């Protein structure tokens, strides 16, 4: 595929960069997450201390890990009341993602962390599909059935408030998305510009790529899906994109963990492409 074609010219994917974009969300006050908003800051400290899952997986993948807070102190607004971001704020977040892929690497894996961020992700997916929140809301970090219904109602309220403005993918991003979603969109664009293949993580990381695909066909041909998340909207979104994930292990953590696990699979594909002999070269009888 296109990702392998781009990767095959590199030195066996020696330089792999894992980007984890972190965002904050006022929408958590609506009870859409099983965890309080302060966990986001606590997880940043855990990343820095090397205690998160992605720290271990990045080390196994022999990849550089960068955790990038996006808009610390400026959470995405409650989209049931107002647009989640201003135009300038959304543009700044996209620029952070673009700048994160400024140097040449062989592969970029993109993930996220942010308590409450599956709600804006589901809202963007619902807006793209022209469907309601119930079709896209999932348990996220562990909501029960009542919590998922509450989350769907919050999404529907946001879609109703902004319906007249949800006219194109970038407007959807600004009105009901988050700063980390905008940064991931920017990182995908930056990798495209630099001809760097991308591994996307779960549902929340795939939604910005879906926005780009809706904006311009072929815009995410350089992307592969690392895994299919247990978040139910991810499988539905992949079907809409016509994409198959490399792994399907029922993971739901985020943090680019599924993408990191898929790095060795791409390395194996590149190694076979570069190193295997043809039948003729190997003297295999026809």
């Amino acid at each position: 595929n296109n990702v392998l074609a781009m990767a095959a010219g590199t030195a066996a994917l020696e330089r792999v960069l894992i980007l984890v974009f972190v965002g904050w969300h006022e929408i958590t006050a609506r009870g859409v997450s099983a965890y309080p908003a302060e966990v986001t800051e606590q997880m940043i400290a855990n990343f820095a201390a090397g205690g998160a899952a992605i720290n271990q997986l990045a080390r196994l993948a022999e990849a550089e890990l960068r955790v990038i807070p996006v808009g610390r102190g400026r959470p995405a607004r409650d989209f049931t009341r107002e647009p989640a971001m201003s135009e300038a704020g959304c543009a700044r977040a996209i620029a952070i993602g673009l700048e994160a892929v400024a140097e040449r690497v062989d592969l970029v894996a993109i993930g996220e962390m942010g308590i409450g961020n599956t709600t804006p992700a589901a809202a963007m997916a619902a807006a793209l599909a022209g469907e309601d929140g119930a079709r896209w809301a999932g348990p996220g970090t562990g909501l029960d059935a009542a919590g998922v219904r509450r989350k769907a109602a919050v999404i529907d309220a946001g879609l109703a408030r902004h319906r007249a403005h949800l006219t194109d993918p970038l407007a959807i991003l600004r009105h009901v998305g988050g700063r980390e979603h905008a940064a991931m969109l920017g990182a995908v664009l930056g990798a495209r510009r630099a001809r760097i293949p991308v591994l996307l993580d779960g549902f929340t990381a795939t939604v910005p790529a879906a926005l780009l695909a809706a904006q311009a066909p072929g815009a995410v041909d350089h992307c592969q899906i690392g895994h299919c998340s247990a978040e139910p909207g991810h499988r539905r979104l992949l079907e809409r994109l016509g994409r198959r994930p490399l792994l399907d292990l029922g993971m739901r953590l985020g943090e680019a963990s599924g993408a990191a696990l898929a790095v060795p699979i791409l390395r194996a594909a590149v190694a076979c492409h570069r190193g295997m002999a043809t039948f003729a070269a190997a003297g295999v009888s026809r």
Side-chain angles (χ1 to χ4, degrees), residues 15-53:
R15 296 196 64 200
V16 175
L17 174 62
I18 299 175
L19 298 173
V20 178
F21 295 97
V22 183
W24 289 259
H25 299 269
E26 286 186 355
I27 204 73
T28 55
R30 298 278 177 182
V32 297
S33 174
Y35 288 87
E38 54 264 31
V39 171
T40 300
E41 202 67 48
Q42 292 164 2
M43 280 303 302
I44 292 177
N46 194 25
F47 293 139

Side-chain angles (χ1 to χ4, degrees), residues 128-196:
L128 271 178
E131 296 174 345
D132 63 15
R135 285 281 291 166
W136 292 94
T141 50
L143 287 175
D144 59 14
V148 173
R149 289 193 294 271
R150 182 169 58 249
K151 184 175 180 177
V154 167
I155 291 169
D156 286 340
L159 295 178
R161 172 168 287 277
H162 302 293
R163 194 167 307 281
H165 303 287
L166 304 179
T167 53
D168 65 73
L170 291 180
I172 290 170
L173 173 65
R174 184 173 84 80
H175 281 85
V176 299
R179 298 186 194 279
E180 72 270 51
H181 302 103
M184 286 188 284
L185 183 146
V188 172
L189 279 175
R192 173 78 177 204
R193 182 175 61 186
R195 293 189 55 78
I196 299 171

